[in-house]
Amino acid sequence: MADADNPTADDQRLWGGRFEEAPDALVQAYTSSIQVDLLLFRHDIAGSRAHARMLAAQGIIDADDAARILEGLDQVESEIESGGFEINHELEDIHTHVEARLGQIIGADAAGRLHTARSRNDQVALDTRMFVRDAIVQSVGAVRGLQASLIELAERSLDVYLPGYTHLQRAQPVLLAHHLLAYLEMLDRDADRLVDAFARADIMPLGSAALAGAAYPLDRQAVADELGFESLSRNSMDAVSSRDYIAEFLANAAICMVNVSRLCEDVILWSSAEFGLLQFGDAFTTGSSIMPQKRNPDIAELARGRSGKVLGHLTALLTTLKGLPLAYNRDLQEDKSGLFDTAETLIGTLHVLARALLTAQVDGDRARAMVDNDPFILATDYADYITRKGVPFREAHGVVGRLVRLCEQRGCGLADLSLDDLRSEHPAFESDAVGMTPQFALESRDVPGGTAPTQVRAALDEAKARLQLQPASQETQGQAGTPQADPTLETGLNRAQRRAAERAAAKQQGRR
């Protein structure tokens, strides 16, 4: 029989009592998840602390045992943080590792009481919900950081116009700031989706046990309060077997990465010699192993590429979930690697792009020349000109189409046509239509959401106010302002601390 204070790996498993033989080595290797879920150690230990305190408060375990458990958990957490924690793949997962090491520190008897009234099923649901909450808060902060960089670049480029494109063909002139603010709007919706999903992750499942609920007088609300959860799960089977809160985070992350990928595609095009509109700083570009002249926008290319694996993680989880009966199935172990990689990819991508955009230099002369030298980019403005004078737009469209054909025959642009040339197709043209300029075209789009300079300036001011951007200090000139924390979100820890302070203040007030 194993020494109670020095248990063997067989004794340390959370489920081995019914079995006479140890798992085959291949089974151990195949079922182990510790190489993935070690990342959950802080969440797992925080949940164990709250559970131990509640068990003691309810008289389910002895207060002295609870105190020893809490002291031991502190040591386990310190060992993992310092890198001195020994990984044993026979122990499968982070939950078993923590409890096994706790048994070595305080004795198996006291450590074994920690698992009273809980299962790994509700334990892992708790850990992943806490992880998703934190990932959402960090993701929203990273989205806001990228938005701040877009605003900073837009403000530096307010006098720059360039061709807007449809079908990747030049269409109409737009301000570069207007183009950048389009991505700010996409990112705003990304942040909104993440914020909205927070509430569905913010549900405390502990107390559901394996699937039927715990057979002890638990104070689940006390655990929820300590861990900063807004509500309790209402059905134990749903609590242990549902992963839609992870799927929703992955879906929101995938949409955000697709939007980021589109931004990166524009940046990559603008960085090419053919466009020559934008250049990242040296610290955010790479070179070629054979061509000394190259400046490659590898950050944007990698972000574009990594959007694909985030989409893949979403597809993988949905495929795993679609055929699972209630309640817990081991298939759900596969939810974590995609979740962790998605969070790391999304947050890291947003941060590095935000930094890179702060170094971006725009060639405004080149951008404006692309418009100024395009012979037909103001074609719609010529049609709008005579439409405003009462000509049906469909007729005006045909008139300008014939003028374009005339220019092609002569080898000139619309701005080169004389008043007689214009009137040869329609008498509504007057002298102010001759030599129409990009500035006229931009200023005429003076509607909310349009590319007119007044509208874009107003949109920038509104965006800065919405994001509560603080102005850059003298030390950070040329950098984006700092976005304030989203007022609709707070981490579980922050919420728990706030509520504890409120309860303490209320008690203090009651004593007066």
Side-chain angles (χ1 to χ4, degrees):
M1 184 173 179
D3 187 328
D5 291 324
N6 294 283
T8 66
D10 289 345
D11 296 324
Q12 292 171 312
R13 292 191 195 96
L14 302 185
W15 50 266
R18 176 249 183 271
F19 295 85
E20 293 183 359
E21 292 184 47
D24 185 273
L26 280 174
V27 172
Q28 290 177 352
Y30 191 72
T31 59
S32 174
S33 63
I34 185 60
Q35 66 275 15
V36 174
D37 62 26
L38 181 62
L39 189 61
L40 292 173
F41 78 90
R42 288 189 179 87
H43 306 92
D44 195 70
I45 290 173
S48 291
R49 287 192 184 107
H51 186 63
R53 289 191 184 101
M54 180 273 296
L55 291 176
Q58 294 296 103
I60 298 171
I61 67 172
D62 186 78
D64 289 339
D65 282 336
R68 293 174 66 195
I69 288 170
L70 293 171
E71 185 176 344
L73 288 172
D74 289 344
Q75 181 175 334
V76 174
E77 185 173 48
S78 177
E79 289 176 0
I80 298 176
E81 288 177 338
S82 67
F85 189 78
E86 183 178 349
I87 299 299
N88 180 354
H89 287 278
E90 293 182 14
L91 298 182
E92 295 185 320
D93 54 35
I94 183 57
H95 324 295
T96 311
H97 273 79
V98 169
E99 189 169 327
R101 179 58 183 141
L102 185 65
Q104 293 172 347
I105 296 169
I106 68 172
D109 189 57
R113 300 185 192 283
L114 175 60
H115 206 60
T116 305
R118 75 175 181 182
S119 162
R120 280 191 299 179
N121 295 357
D122 60 350
Q123 194 176 352
V124 71
L126 175 74
D127 293 357
T128 52
R129 283 183 177 275
M130 293 173 70
F131 180 90
V132 169
R133 288 188 315 180
D134 291 345
I136 287 173
V137 173
Q138 293 174 45
S139 297
V140 171
V143 168
R144 298 307 187 201
L146 180 54
Q147 288 180 301
S149 292
L150 287 168
I151 287 173
E152 194 272 346
L153 182 57
E155 287 196 305
R156 282 197 281 122
S157 311
L158 268 174
D159 65 337
V160 177
Y161 53 84
L162 75 168
Y165 290 80
T166 62
H167 310 279
L168 207 56
Q169 305 293 314
R170 291 182 185 177
Q172 294 176 272
V174 296
L175 289 179
L176 174 59
H178 189 62
H179 192 129
L180 295 172
L181 288 179
Y183 286 109
L184 183 132
E185 294 298 322
M186 294 183 196
L187 290 167
D188 234 22
R189 295 191 295 274
D190 292 327
D192 287 347
R193 278 185 284 267
L194 287 162
V195 169
D196 185 60
F198 187 90
R200 285 178 288 283
D202 197 22
I203 299 169
M204 209 286 292
L206 206 63
S208 301
L211 80 162
Y216 298 83
L218 305 183
D219 185 351
R220 297 185 67 208
Q221 189 61 54
V223 176
D225 287 343
E226 178 168 340
L227 298 176
F229 279 95
E230 188 65 34
S231 61
L232 303 177
S233 57
R234 294 192 293 257
N235 183 286
S236 58
M237 295 180 74
D238 172 63
V240 300
S241 65
S242 294
R243 295 295 185 270
D244 50 8
Y245 58 95
I246 297 179
E248 187 170 12
F249 173 71
L250 297 184
N252 293 335
I255 295 171
C256 185
M257 283 296 292
V258 167
N259 287 335
V260 167
S261 182
R262 297 182 70 186
L263 168 62
C264 290
E265 174 66 10
D266 273 342
V267 166
I268 291 163
L269 287 173
W270 292 345
S271 300
S272 67
E274 285 72 20
F275 280 76
L277 301 181
L278 180 144
Q279 190 176 90
F280 284 146
D282 284 355
F284 289 88
T285 54
T286 61
S288 164
S289 65
I290 191 172
M291 295 169 283
Q293 82 280 12
K294 294 293 290 299
R295 290 177 57 91
N296 299 325
D298 282 12
I299 289 170
E301 292 173 3
L302 284 170
R304 185 177 59 181
R306 289 177 185 175
S307 65
K309 69 172 180 174
V310 173
L311 295 172
H313 292 324
L314 171 62
T315 302
L317 180 61
L318 291 175
T319 304
T320 297
L321 294 175
K322 75 174 184 63
L324 294 186
L326 292 177
Y328 183 83
N329 296 272
R330 193 63 179 268
D331 312 50
L332 293 175
Q333 178 175 300
E334 298 304 301
D335 61 356
K336 296 171 200 63
S337 60
L339 168 61
F340 299 158
D341 187 63
T342 292
E344 181 181 8
T345 300
L346 174 64
I347 296 165
T349 297
L350 292 167
H351 281 318
V352 74
L353 281 176
R355 291 280 301 280
L357 285 175
L358 292 179
T359 73
Q361 296 299 316
V362 173
D363 189 336
D365 292 338
R366 172 100 176 206
R368 287 182 287 263
M370 290 173 68
V371 172
D372 297 342
N373 297 332
D374 189 303
F376 307 123
I377 201 165
L378 302 185
T380 303
D381 297 277
Y382 279 85
D384 286 337
Y385 179 93
I386 58 175
T387 297
R388 287 192 292 269
K389 294 185 177 296
V391 179
F393 182 80
R394 191 54 54 207
E395 179 183 348
H397 187 283
V399 167
V400 177
R402 291 190 293 274
L403 288 171
V404 168
R405 188 167 61 230
L406 174 64
C407 290
E408 290 176 335
Q409 292 169 352
R410 293 183 180 179
C412 67
L414 287 171
D416 300 315
L417 296 178
S418 67
L419 180 58
D420 289 339
D421 293 329
L422 297 174
R423 284 183 166 171
S424 69
E425 290 296 338
H426 204 285
F429 284 110
E430 296 182 13
S431 59
D432 58 344
V434 176
M436 201 176 292
T437 65
Q439 288 78 10
F440 170 84
L442 292 166
E443 290 168 3
S444 68
R445 264 78 187 163
D446 193 11
V447 295
T451 193
T454 53
Q455 294 292 339
V456 173
R457 178 72 263 178
L460 273 168
D461 291 341
E462 191 276 332
K464 288 163 63 179
R466 190 169 74 242
L467 299 182
Q468 302 178 49
L469 290 180
Q470 299 301 302
S473 66
Q474 276 192 320
E475 292 77 21
T476 58
Q477 287 298 318
Q479 297 185 7
T482 304
Q484 298 303 289
D486 194 300
T488 59
L489 279 186
E490 49 185 348
T491 64
L493 177 60
N494 288 344
R495 182 189 292 150
Q497 291 172 336
R498 174 175 58 78
R499 288 178 175 172
E502 289 170 353
R503 288 194 297 272
K507 288 181 181 178
Q508 185 68 27
Q509 185 70 26
R511 295 192 190 104
R512 292 176 181 170

